[in-house]
Amino acid sequence: MTLPDRARRVLPGGNTRTTLFVPPNPPYAVRGEGAIVTDHTGHRVIDCNNNYTSLIHGHAHPEILDAATEAARSGTAFGLPTRSEVALAEHLRERTGIEQWRFCNSGSEAVLMLLRAARARTGRDLIVRFDGSYHGTGDAVVSPEAPGVVSESVLVLPQNDLEAVRKTLRAHGERVAAVLIDLMPNRAGLTPADPAYVAELRDLTRKYGALLAVDEVITFRLHEGGLHQRYGIRPDLVSVGKIIGGGFPVGAVGGSAEVLSPFDPRTPGPVSWGGTFSANPVTMAAGLTALNLFGTKEIADLNHRGDELRKRLREGGVPVNGSGSLLRLITPDTTKLWWALYERGVLTGTNGLLALSTPMTPDDVEQVAEAVLTTLGGASPDAIG
Ligand SMILES: Cc1ncc(COP(=O)(O)O)c(C=O)c1O
């Protein structure tokens, strides 16, 4: 039996993450080293997926491995808090200016925690979010029509429609706990939000006493303190994940001590939120090392490389969105695109997402550009359309 056959026997559809499925079945990864992944057939690809943007330093970065191994040798998880969560929270505070943090194991969980914090803090029930933005797998943030979903007290508005926000807040403002936004939503096309729109959202939420919550799970890599800092706004809550775990499972919510006070067990009637593996020392140590290796200079360099690549692709007739180190190729047939690039030695997201990582060499980026231009470029004989 082949590996995909064995997989389909024991896993619905042959794997655990819907986002990794490409028909008829994706290859299986067996090894990652720096910017290169080798699959179960021995095919080697430049990894522009980077576990959906989370591996900012690629695979098996020696310093991150050392930090994780050293942490693991002293115990992988405890029924006590550890120093390592204090250290990562201190780093995040210094990096972002956001006062307090609470860790969990995924971005999805971070968004759930963020929504719980918003509702507990304001005593209100409604959440406003925007159609097409992805915020993980929680019922409140997926389509209310999706099978198995019960989504209550969530108002889903069109993207970039200030009038819809104004109207909703006029009608329900006193019930809205939070407005949740991703400033460059991947699934909605990876187009950065308009600064005037974001500034107005900040003003409107303040006016109605609702919290402004920014989901930075993907966008945190674009600026030292998260993409919101480029907009010059201060959100009340942020959710982060991906790169802050150094390649290990992670999520976190940040906010002022006041906004996160419902989680403080010393207060009357606190929110109870556990998580057996939350803030485990292996993730915390790997995350801290990864972030220490990704300061202002490294962020600017990687963003510059992304901007150059985007420019080159656009000049070659390829429709591409995004900002800095995150790119999104726009094509109607993403499956065909995925396979064409994979066969040309480039691993992308199944929706045309590319995320650069620090170990990529100029040659790697050149090879990526060539593969995309050959596959999607205006003059290409096999342009996907
Ligand atoms: C903006 C955003 N929020 C939340 C999530 C969920 O994160 P995770 O996959 O770690 O649960 C994602 C995942 O891609 C995301 O892009």
Side-chain angles (χ1 to χ4, degrees):
M1 240 197 291
T2 65
L3 183 57
D5 287 340
R6 279 174 50 206
R8 276 189 293 263
R9 216 163 63 85
V10 289
L11 300 161
N15 88 63
T16 295
R17 296 161 65 185
T18 312
T19 35
L20 301 191
F21 182 74
V22 269
N25 54 259
Y28 290 73
V30 293
R31 189 175 168 78
E33 207 176 355
I36 305 296
V37 164
T38 307
D39 75 17
H40 73 291
T41 69
H43 185 56
R44 282 162 59 88
V45 286
I46 298 169
D47 191 356
C48 288
N49 176 309
N50 278 304
N51 194 24
Y52 278 91
T53 77
S54 60
L55 303 173
I56 197 75
H57 301 297
H59 298 269
H61 187 286
E63 282 181 58
I64 299 174
L65 278 189
D66 284 350
T69 315
E70 199 185 315
R73 280 209 187 91
S74 304
T76 57
F78 296 94
L80 288 172
T82 71
R83 280 195 189 121
S84 59
E85 70 194 88
V86 180
L88 186 56
E90 283 171 347
H91 177 99
L92 288 171
R93 177 174 170 146
E94 197 173 318
R95 193 176 178 104
T96 63
I98 296 172
E99 206 178 1
Q100 292 202 339
W101 294 87
R102 203 165 161 97
F103 296 104
C104 53
N105 293 302
S106 69
S108 294
E109 202 187 338
V111 170
L112 296 181
M113 201 151 73
L114 176 152
L115 299 182
R116 181 76 57 84
R119 284 170 166 151
R121 172 72 194 148
T122 59
R124 299 173 174 191
D125 62 336
L126 293 180
I127 301 295
V128 172
R129 66 175 182 85
F130 300 102
D131 197 19
S133 290
Y134 180 68
H135 299 288
T137 51
D139 275 19
V141 290
V142 297
S143 164
E145 277 92 49
V149 169
V150 179
S151 176
E152 282 169 3
S153 304
V154 178
L155 304 173
V156 185
L157 305 186
Q159 297 274 349
N160 306 315
D161 185 344
L162 261 186
E163 213 24 65
V165 179
R166 282 196 196 104
K167 209 167 133 199
T168 301
L169 288 175
R170 267 200 305 271
H172 308 288
E174 78 294 345
R175 281 181 56 199
V176 174
V179 174
L180 173 64
I181 185 171
D182 179 338
L183 297 170
M184 195 172 81
N186 166 32
R187 298 219 183 158
L190 208 71
T191 305
D194 173 37
Y197 169 76
V198 175
E200 183 68 15
L201 273 189
R202 179 61 283 186
D203 288 349
L204 281 170
T205 43
R206 203 169 273 134
K207 175 172 166 199
Y208 285 93
L211 303 181
L212 180 64
V214 178
D215 186 350
E216 293 263 15
V217 168
I218 280 194
T219 51
F220 193 65
R221 61 156 54 213
L222 295 175
H223 188 284
E224 202 167 9
L227 183 56
H228 70 267
Q229 293 202 341
R230 239 196 247 162
Y231 286 82
I233 56 153
R234 274 191 85 79
D236 301 296
L237 284 163
V238 295
S239 46
V240 294
K242 307 238 189 212
I243 72 163
I244 73 150
F248 290 83
V250 80
V253 172
S256 65
E258 205 183 336
V259 170
L260 292 187
S261 63
F263 289 115
D264 184 340
R266 299 165 305 177
T267 59
V271 169
S272 176
W273 193 295
T276 303
F277 293 101
S278 291
N280 74 81
V282 179
T283 296
M284 297 294 105
L288 182 58
T289 307
L291 291 179
N292 278 331
L293 292 166
F294 197 55
T296 316
K297 183 182 173 310
E298 291 79 14
I299 294 171
D301 283 354
L302 203 62
N303 282 339
H304 177 69
R305 298 173 74 185
D307 289 339
E308 291 289 300
L309 176 59
R310 195 169 12 258
K311 187 163 160 252
R312 167 122 192 258
L313 296 178
R314 281 185 180 148
E315 282 166 4
V318 174
V320 52
N321 289 345
S323 172
S325 64
L326 293 172
L327 299 90
R328 170 93 189 260
L329 305 172
I330 305 300
T331 173
D333 192 342
T334 48
T335 298
K336 199 169 164 194
L337 172 68
W338 192 92
W339 279 111
L341 290 176
Y342 195 75
E343 275 149 22
R344 293 186 169 117
V346 178
L347 172 60
T348 64
T350 50
N351 61 359
L353 179 70
L354 279 76
L356 302 189
S357 66
T358 58
M360 285 179 175
T361 63
D363 276 358
D364 291 333
V365 179
E366 179 56 30
Q367 211 176 307
V368 171
E370 288 295 328
V372 174
L373 288 166
T374 313
T375 307
L376 276 186
S380 162
D382 60 347
I384 293 176

